[in-house]
Amino acid sequence: MSNIELHFDSPWLLLLLIPAAAAVLVPWLRIPASLRSGFRRTATVVFHIIISVVLVFVLAGFSISYMPSRDITNENEEEEAAEDETEETGGILLIADRNASADDILPLMPEESPVRVVNPLRTPTNIDVLSSYDKIMLLGVSANDLPERLAGQLAMYVQQGGSLLVSASDHSLSLGNMRNTTYETLLPVSFDYTSQSGEGIALVLVIDCSNSMTMNSGWWGGRYTDYLSLAKQGAIKSVEYMNEKDMIGIVSFNSRATLRSELVQATETQKAILSRTVSSLNTSRGTFYCDALTLAWEQLADCDMDVRHVIFLSDGEPSDYGYDDIVKDMAKDGITVSTISIGYSSYELSSMAEEGNGRYYEVSSVSDLPDIMLGETETAVSDPLVDEAAEITLKGGIPTDLPAVSAYIGTTMKDGAELILQTESRDPILARWTVGIGEAEAFMSDLLGGWTSQWLETNPGRSMLRQIFSMGISDKSSADERLTEEKDSSERIVTQLLLPLSIILVIVLLADIAVRRLRWKDILALFQKTQTKI
């Protein structure tokens, strides 16, 4: 749907349509019916009427504006819109990590802006509701906890003049399934990051090869395929991403677990062998987790890599028990476990990821599976969590009196973005940039006090937090003014175009009269003849 508005500066001048129409129709109607018939004569009169109407519209100050509809387009549109319309809007929408409290930062919010705090799962997705807020904040939130369609709506919100702030936590940004998504596109930083330690990683891919992995098939990614084929693609992408300082192993499972490849150095030769191994995987009945986890644990337990990680993928619930205890023991040994559920929401896999200090991915769009597997591998390899105190400086290394942050997520600045705060090692901490006519900001540490507790306890820290929370709000009114100016400008352009168009039409009309040899004396003769009859 679209919104089209018509406007007349002097609508009373539309009354001129009556004499204008009379000036065209009366002489024509006075002509004998036999002379009025025929397409050419009728078309001429219609053409003259159109010219008269356009001239009157120009005199009346006609303008037209077109605004695309911003209605929600999904099957639950009316229900969601009705629900969102009942919510209070305006001010700041604060979407906070459900495992943390925003109470400590509320006093630091702009006094003139009311703040509404919502659970991530209850975040409104109606673009009209989102647009009513001066600023939207995603503080320490994982993409897994947000409505799936929110990212696209936030992109529209920012492009139309909104202000968005996203902050980090140990399960947000690249650690919160935001890599290679609209969220990353919106932010002024890229999640590509190489840990300064330069240490390699030991990774074991654990892949479900039960019958259901091939029974579940369909048209995904533009071709007919199944879960296992997509999992193979993702595994091969993960293998190819590794470099020679890394090690990788592969385990498959169904009713029993099989070590397809022990941990090997990720040389080009070994990666080619591993890719062939992945391609040869086939299915059998059963889904048993415990033996597969144990095999992965055994491979990583004797490895001396600092980072030891498991990516565990399945499309069904297990038929055995005790896998949670195995993951807990792996975590005690310093082994992390991330899990991926294909086609369904899995409490078991979510719990495993939580116990294993990893990340949980619920793949609803199956064609995304290869990219999700690659993204998790990139996150594990890059190790973006810098879990140590970092001093804060301004751009260029200029010292500040801000307290240190106890941890942050490593990122890379995008071209065109503005760096405001950084660490002494020049990693971004606060950055922003313009998207459309709006603004997006990213704070790479925790704004809820977990990693910035000293900021809440000191005057410089509190002052900086107030500035961060206020950024972009004053600019929103300017953006609204720009929108109004653009709309008025478009209306003026339409109106200004009508005048030369009318002049052209008048010239064409006069040419038409000349071509048809309809001279003024003939018109006068017609009126004299009519008066004689009367």
Side-chain angles (χ1 to χ4, degrees):
M1 296 177 61
S2 303
N3 298 323
I4 299 177
E5 297 180 0
L6 305 180
H7 177 73
F8 293 92
D9 292 336
S10 304
W12 57 271
L13 287 175
L14 292 176
L15 294 174
L16 292 175
L17 287 172
I18 298 174
V24 175
L25 293 175
V26 170
W28 184 69
L29 291 174
R30 292 290 187 181
I31 298 174
S34 59
L35 298 178
R36 279 189 272 120
S37 61
F39 173 78
R40 293 180 61 188
R41 291 182 175 85
T42 304
T44 301
V45 172
V46 172
F47 179 61
H48 293 173
I49 291 176
I50 292 174
I51 293 175
S52 301
V53 170
V54 171
L55 291 173
V56 172
F57 271 39
V58 171
L59 291 173
F62 172 71
S63 64
I64 182 171
S65 62
Y66 168 81
M67 293 293 291
S69 174
R70 299 183 300 179
D71 291 341
I72 303 173
T73 55
N74 78 347
E75 58 185 4
N76 297 320
E77 175 179 359
E78 294 182 0
E79 180 180 347
E80 291 184 3
E83 177 182 347
D84 288 338
E85 285 174 358
T86 64
E87 299 172 345
E88 294 183 4
T89 58
I92 296 173
L93 178 62
L94 197 161
I95 306 158
D97 176 16
R98 57 184 177 177
N99 297 319
S101 172
D103 293 344
D104 290 339
I105 64 171
L106 292 180
L108 304 176
M109 296 291 170
E111 295 181 358
E112 67 278 5
S113 299
V115 180
R116 178 177 173 233
V117 182
V118 299
N119 182 290
L121 294 173
R122 297 292 299 165
T123 302
T125 56
N126 185 317
I127 184 60
D128 292 321
V129 173
L130 294 176
S131 297
S132 69
Y133 289 102
D134 299 323
K135 186 163 188 167
I136 297 177
M137 304 181 185
L138 300 179
L139 305 189
V141 180
S142 168
N144 295 329
D145 294 333
L146 295 167
E148 184 176 353
R149 57 193 298 272
L150 177 63
Q153 301 294 75
L154 284 177
M156 188 184 305
Y157 163 78
V158 175
Q159 289 168 353
Q160 294 176 350
S163 176
L164 174 68
L165 169 64
V166 180
S167 72
S169 71
D170 59 2
H171 52 273
S172 184
L173 299 186
S174 55
L175 298 180
N177 198 17
M178 290 185 178
R179 182 187 292 272
N180 299 326
T181 67
T182 303
Y183 293 107
E184 183 176 10
T185 302
L186 270 176
L187 295 179
V189 294
S190 165
F191 296 154
D192 294 333
Y193 179 76
T194 302
S195 174
Q196 295 185 5
S197 65
E199 299 290 342
I201 178 177
L203 174 67
V204 176
L205 300 176
V206 183
I207 302 172
D208 185 349
C209 287
S210 60
N211 285 333
S212 59
M213 289 288 287
T214 51
M215 292 172 62
N216 288 304
S217 57
W219 286 96
W220 297 307
R223 64 190 184 92
Y224 193 80
T225 186
D226 54 52
Y227 287 0
L228 183 59
S229 296
L230 292 169
K232 289 179 180 180
Q233 292 177 33
I236 292 173
K237 283 186 175 184
S238 298
V239 168
E240 292 297 327
Y241 182 78
M242 310 290 278
N243 54 55
E244 291 190 1
K245 67 183 179 181
D246 303 319
M247 301 186 72
I248 187 168
I250 298 172
V251 172
S252 67
F253 69 95
N254 34 60
S255 59
R256 65 175 200 163
T258 304
L259 180 62
R260 300 291 180 174
S261 173
E262 61 183 12
L263 277 177
V264 295
Q265 212 74 31
T267 63
E268 291 303 317
T269 300
Q270 288 294 345
K271 287 195 288 188
I273 295 173
L274 288 169
S275 295
R276 290 196 295 271
T277 299
V278 170
S279 298
S280 66
L281 293 177
N282 49 37
T283 61
S284 183
R285 63 183 179 84
T287 306
F288 292 81
Y289 286 4
C290 291
D291 289 347
L293 287 167
T294 300
L295 277 179
W297 185 10
E298 291 173 351
Q299 288 295 305
L300 294 170
D302 297 330
C303 178
D304 58 0
M305 292 282 193
D306 287 340
V307 180
R308 296 171 296 167
H309 189 61
V310 173
I311 299 178
F312 188 98
L313 178 150
S314 179
D315 75 331
E317 297 181 356
S319 301
D320 55 350
Y321 301 93
Y323 43 85
D324 270 343
D325 293 332
I326 296 175
V327 173
K328 289 178 183 178
D329 291 337
M330 294 171 71
K332 291 177 182 177
D333 280 353
I335 300 171
T336 54
V337 179
S338 288
T339 58
I340 302 174
S341 66
I342 310 175
Y344 80 115
S345 178
S346 172
Y347 171 78
E348 291 80 9
L349 292 177
S350 175
S351 176
M352 284 170 55
E354 185 175 352
E355 296 289 350
N357 299 317
R359 292 159 290 279
Y360 167 64
Y361 301 86
E362 180 182 324
V363 183
S364 55
S365 179
V366 183
S367 60
D368 293 337
L369 177 59
D371 289 335
I372 289 175
M373 293 179 69
L374 174 60
E376 170 57 20
T377 303
E378 292 173 346
T379 299
V381 170
S382 64
D383 189 21
L385 176 59
V386 182
D387 195 9
E388 58 185 29
E391 297 296 329
I392 304 301
T393 70
L394 296 174
K395 179 181 178 180
I398 302 173
T400 69
D401 54 359
L402 291 171
V405 296
S406 59
Y408 65 93
I409 301 296
T411 58
T412 303
M413 290 291 294
K414 291 181 181 177
D415 292 339
E418 177 188 359
L419 176 64
I420 300 174
L421 297 176
Q422 64 180 24
T423 65
E424 287 185 324
S425 57
R426 298 188 180 278
D427 286 335
I429 289 295
L430 177 61
R432 68 178 180 179
W433 72 346
T434 300
V435 180
I437 60 171
E439 177 178 291
E441 304 133 19
F443 187 79
M444 271 54 76
S445 191
D446 173 26
L447 282 174
L448 293 175
W451 295 342
T452 53
S453 57
Q454 295 183 47
W455 287 40
L456 294 171
E457 298 169 358
T458 62
N459 288 330
R462 287 194 296 270
S463 176
M464 177 54 67
L465 289 174
R466 288 191 181 94
Q467 293 182 49
I468 293 172
F469 296 143
S470 299
M471 288 171 63
I473 292 181
S474 58
D475 298 335
K476 191 173 190 298
S477 59
S478 300
D480 291 339
E481 290 175 1
R482 288 197 299 273
L483 274 176
T484 302
E485 290 174 359
E486 290 176 4
K487 178 181 176 182
D488 293 342
S489 176
S490 65
E491 291 176 349
R492 287 195 299 271
I493 290 173
V494 172
T495 304
Q496 291 165 2
L497 286 175
L498 284 176
L499 183 58
L501 177 61
S502 301
I503 295 173
I504 293 172
L505 290 176
V506 169
I507 294 172
V508 172
L509 173 61
L510 295 175
D512 177 68
I513 293 174
V515 170
R516 297 175 184 279
R517 298 178 180 178
L518 185 57
R519 296 169 298 177
W520 287 110
K521 64 178 184 178
D522 296 331
I523 297 176
L524 293 174
L526 176 63
F527 275 103
Q528 290 173 358
K529 182 179 179 181
T530 302
Q531 291 174 353
T532 301
K533 289 183 178 181
I534 295 174

